[in-house]
Amino acid sequence: MSIEPSQPPAWKTAPQGQTFYPSATIRCDGPAVFRNQFARDVACLLDVDDAITEWRCQPLPFSDGQEFYRPDFVAKVGNGIIVIDAATDDTPLWIEGAVRADGHQYEAVRRAELPLIRLKNAKDLLRYANFQTGLEDRVRLLAALDEHGTLTLAECLSVFRETRPIAGMASMVLNRFIDIDLDEALIGPESTVRRRRG
């Protein structure tokens, strides 16, 4: 994404060195720096949003002529860019107009709007964001899904030989090799797994 400011002005930044749960990301391009846990929760949802190919933390400064403000995220969606804010009472009222005036879409996410089941599932998966599924296990699972169409999560776990089963499954979901429903219920043994196409 080529939307970095050439000379960034002085603005408030998130506390440096502060880590929010979970610590790893999968599609963040650049440093993962969050204002608070709420912003981190929104970022978890960005990592499992099929429409988003990559995102960055707080890269765009905007001004109303008196103060600067940096929204939480900018995400690449298809060929477009969307600016996303984990909006709180401290979010300036002028920011949406400033973002749209600069030619970008703007989305304010409120804490009450967070899909709690999807968020919990995303956090569970992202605990394993630093794992990579071994080639042998990946090929074996994809071949099994090609043969059967769908399998339960419990059935899939028996396929893994060189990777920790849950870590391997999570890695394959996060890297978009396979699909598992994140919205209806918490991930469990009976969750349906299918191969991702396209």
Side-chain angles (χ1 to χ4, degrees):
M1 290 179 281
S2 56
I3 48 179
E4 295 283 3
S6 55
Q7 291 185 333
W11 55 69
K12 291 185 177 180
T13 59
Q16 296 300 310
Q18 192 166 353
T19 303
F20 298 99
Y21 175 81
S23 59
T25 66
I26 196 77
R27 285 183 184 80
C28 180
D29 180 21
V33 180
F34 308 105
R35 264 184 251 276
N36 48 39
Q37 183 63 52
F38 173 37
R40 177 65 187 112
D41 289 350
V42 173
C44 290
L45 296 172
L46 300 183
D47 264 340
V48 296
D49 188 328
D50 289 342
I52 293 175
T53 54
E54 64 182 58
W55 52 273
R56 289 185 182 176
C57 292
Q58 305 180 16
L60 286 175
F62 293 93
S63 175
D64 67 347
Q66 296 181 335
E67 63 177 347
F68 287 97
Y69 175 76
R70 199 161 45 165
D72 290 293
F73 308 104
V74 61
K76 187 173 182 182
V77 182
N79 294 323
I81 297 293
I82 183 167
V83 176
I84 301 169
D85 233 347
T88 66
D89 291 341
D90 295 329
T91 303
L93 298 176
W94 52 263
I95 186 59
E96 180 173 1
V99 170
R100 294 190 185 281
D102 205 41
H104 302 294
Q105 295 181 61
Y106 179 80
E107 180 181 345
V109 180
R110 306 286 175 183
R111 187 182 298 275
E113 299 169 354
L114 294 180
L116 298 183
I117 291 176
R118 186 176 186 85
L119 176 59
K120 171 61 173 156
N121 285 331
K123 286 184 171 184
D124 284 345
L125 291 171
L126 285 165
R127 291 180 56 204
Y128 303 98
N130 292 327
F131 282 83
Q132 291 296 320
T133 305
L135 176 60
E136 181 182 341
D137 287 340
R138 187 172 75 235
V139 170
R140 189 182 291 112
L141 179 56
L142 294 178
L145 289 170
D146 282 343
E147 180 179 352
H148 298 284
T150 63
L151 294 169
T152 66
L153 176 59
E155 291 169 330
C156 291
L157 296 182
S158 65
V159 168
F160 289 88
R161 299 285 184 270
E162 58 178 346
T163 312
R164 289 169 46 194
I166 290 294
M169 283 291 304
S171 173
M172 290 185 69
V173 172
L174 291 170
N175 287 287
R176 299 179 177 173
F177 289 104
I178 58 176
D179 280 324
I180 191 167
D181 184 74
L182 302 178
D183 297 301
E184 294 300 318
L186 297 181
I187 295 170
E190 69 289 345
S191 297
T192 300
V193 179
R194 59 180 48 85
R195 183 170 183 174
R196 176 173 292 222
R197 302 291 183 181

